[in-house]
Amino acid sequence: MIHVWREKAQKRCLEIGEPKPKQERFQYLPLTHLKLAAKASPENAGTLASIEAYRLPEFAHCLVFVDGYFSPTLSSLPKDLVCLPLDQAFQSYGLFLQNRWTKALKEEQDWFSALNAAEHGRGAFIYAPPNVKAGLHILNILTSDALGSPRLEMTLGKQADVTLVQTHVHLQSNACSNQAIDLTLGEGSKVRWLDMALLDPSATSFWSARATLKRDARLEILAFTDGAAVMRSSFSVELAEENSSLSLQGLAMLADSRQAHVHALVDHAAPNCTSRQHFKAALAGTSHSSFEGKIFVRPIAQKTMAYQLNNNLVLSDEARSNSKPNLEIFADDVKASHGSTVTQLSAEELFYLRSRGLTEIEAKSLLANGFCKELIDAIEIPSLRAPLLAAMKRVLANSHAL
């Protein structure tokens, strides 16, 4: 069954067409220099001896992908969750998955996301039954410079509550990945999802997140990255039923020539739903970030509350940041706003701190850390704070302003 859907996804890729620089969602990507590697082999998924060095001590359970292939032997999964290789899931949950893929492929406009559906390795399917509460570490390991395409389909039953923390390990330079995660949140369910994309500077990384929220569901996404040679995150979330809510936040800390690009679409398709987007980037060296986000409010989506904000702190003359927030509203009883800032360190704030005895470097470091503090402080997992602070130090050390 899975091969049928791969073929349909390949057809959808052809319909969408490969990314072009003139397309808004890809206009800031260095497409002229981009060439995806050949697809990774499944061989290493069964030969990696141990993952203990990469596991988070705060989590007892771990879902492992090696070179884009789900590895049941390396994974340790909660008994309360149903977890199957995607091809087996199509046999047990075929009707649901077929309906989900039919809708997803029909609506998909992003070539990289469609490409993952067509060429993913051994995907994984997780079902959280009603009222289950669970935590899970998702570990993506790339052992070569071939293209790894991990795919996770996850469905939550009524009132289920799941915490996901995803980390990435590159064991070789020039790693290349194109990941996709597709979430379906049932009535009253909740997902807290933390993604830590601290990548090799030579890596190429594409990441697609798709989610559909039913009545009273809540999704919280917090994404951190220090960028890569090319990195792009694509978010598309549908608030499909009443009283669902989304919090979508991200922080990029970029040094040297690293890049991080975000494309986000939040679709308000039902009344009384709430969404909040907040993305930040701190840039030094010759790094480059971009943000393109859209809030789409359908005519039926009255009583919508939707907010979108993108803040960028440029710490060197050579760093670049592009920002394009959008609102598209077809309902008349709506509270919505969007905003964007691109700024350097404030001369007045620096003068104030210098007048209180701080050196110039200490003052600039304090202000730059304060810019990132709001999102970093939201992390409750101790083992993840140290690498984030190290990434922040790299940005400060690479700043010509310091």
Side-chain angles (χ1 to χ4, degrees):
M1 177 62 72
I2 189 68
H3 70 277
V4 174
W5 291 98
R6 287 184 186 274
E7 292 175 358
K8 292 183 178 182
Q10 289 172 351
K11 182 179 178 181
R12 185 59 182 152
C13 279
L14 294 174
E15 292 172 349
I16 296 171
E18 292 191 15
K20 297 179 176 59
K22 293 183 179 180
Q23 294 174 310
E24 284 190 347
R25 66 177 63 217
F26 302 119
Q27 61 183 318
Y28 302 117
L29 279 179
L31 294 173
T32 54
H33 305 290
L34 178 64
K35 184 178 180 181
L36 293 180
K39 184 178 178 180
S41 153
E43 295 176 358
N44 286 340
T47 60
L48 194 65
S50 173
I51 61 164
E52 291 306 312
Y54 315 119
R55 293 192 57 169
L56 298 178
E58 294 86 356
F59 286 81
H61 304 289
C62 187
L63 177 74
V64 182
F65 290 91
V66 181
D67 293 333
Y69 293 84
F70 167 49
S71 175
T73 57
L74 293 175
S75 301
S76 58
L77 301 165
K79 294 181 179 179
D80 292 336
L81 301 181
V82 177
C83 185
L84 298 169
L86 193 54
D87 55 349
Q88 294 182 25
F90 264 99
Q91 300 174 16
S92 303
Y93 297 87
L95 182 59
F96 167 78
L97 284 172
Q98 289 177 47
N99 290 337
R100 178 66 181 169
W101 277 52
T102 297
K103 181 177 185 293
L105 289 177
K106 180 180 179 181
E107 297 176 353
E108 187 60 69
Q109 298 296 323
D110 191 288
W111 184 80
F112 290 104
S113 181
L115 181 67
N116 176 279
E119 298 190 0
H120 64 271
R122 183 188 303 114
F125 172 80
I126 293 179
Y127 172 61
N131 300 306
V132 161
K133 186 172 184 179
L136 185 63
H137 174 204
I138 302 172
L139 176 59
N140 286 305
I141 302 176
L142 295 178
T143 68
S144 72
D145 58 1
L147 176 62
S149 300
R151 185 175 188 89
L152 174 62
E153 300 273 350
M154 187 168 189
T155 300
L156 277 73
K158 186 176 181 179
Q159 301 294 330
D161 187 336
V162 176
T163 298
L164 304 174
V165 176
Q166 179 170 246
T167 59
H168 307 260
V169 175
H170 293 171
L171 299 181
Q172 184 169 319
S173 59
N174 298 311
C176 185
S177 66
N178 180 28
Q179 181 193 13
I181 296 182
D182 192 328
L183 301 174
T184 303
L185 279 68
E187 181 179 341
S189 63
K190 183 176 181 179
V191 171
R192 291 173 299 275
W193 175 5
L194 173 62
D195 184 79
M196 295 284 293
L198 303 180
L199 309 175
D200 187 274
S202 63
T204 299
S205 175
F206 297 95
W207 177 42
S208 302
R210 304 290 181 260
T212 298
L213 280 62
K214 297 186 178 180
R215 181 183 296 271
D216 298 318
R218 177 167 179 78
L219 174 60
E220 299 175 2
I221 299 177
L222 186 55
F224 293 89
T225 185
D226 60 352
V230 179
M231 180 185 177
R232 178 177 181 269
S233 303
S234 170
F235 302 93
S236 181
V237 179
E238 179 187 14
L239 304 174
E241 296 183 4
E242 286 194 68
N243 299 315
S244 56
S245 63
L246 167 70
S247 173
L248 178 56
Q249 300 183 89
L251 173 64
M253 297 171 288
L254 309 178
D256 302 311
S257 59
R258 296 189 185 218
Q259 298 190 22
H261 306 276
V262 173
H263 182 272
L265 169 64
V266 178
D267 182 359
H268 283 260
N272 298 296
C273 296
T274 302
S275 69
R276 179 177 183 266
Q277 301 175 59
H278 190 193
F279 286 88
K280 287 187 170 186
L283 305 96
T286 59
S287 60
H288 183 199
S289 74
S290 71
F291 171 80
E292 183 178 356
K294 177 181 285 188
I295 297 171
F296 184 79
V297 182
R298 299 179 183 271
I300 194 175
Q302 304 294 343
K303 304 294 183 181
T304 284
M305 296 181 66
Y307 307 98
Q308 181 186 78
L309 181 61
N310 177 224
N311 300 125
N312 302 279
L313 179 62
V314 179
L315 296 168
S316 69
D317 294 337
E318 294 82 9
R320 292 182 298 143
S321 180
N322 300 94
S323 183
K324 189 177 179 182
N326 295 279
L327 295 176
E328 196 167 343
I329 300 175
F330 296 95
D332 53 17
D333 189 359
V334 169
K335 291 183 179 179
S337 67
H338 68 312
S340 173
T341 62
V342 179
T343 186
Q344 296 178 318
L345 294 176
S346 167
E348 292 183 0
E349 292 174 344
L350 287 171
F351 176 79
Y352 176 82
L353 293 174
R354 293 289 306 278
S355 69
R356 294 301 185 270
L358 273 67
T359 66
E360 183 177 2
I361 291 179
E362 289 172 338
K364 291 178 177 178
S365 297
L366 186 63
L367 292 175
N369 276 286
F371 176 82
C372 301
K373 182 178 174 61
E374 175 187 2
L375 296 183
I376 292 178
D377 282 353
I379 298 178
E380 300 176 353
I381 301 171
S383 63
L384 296 180
R385 293 181 63 87
L388 277 177
L389 294 175
M392 187 69 248
K393 288 182 179 179
R394 285 196 296 272
V395 172
L396 294 171
N398 193 236
S399 170
H400 291 183
L402 298 184

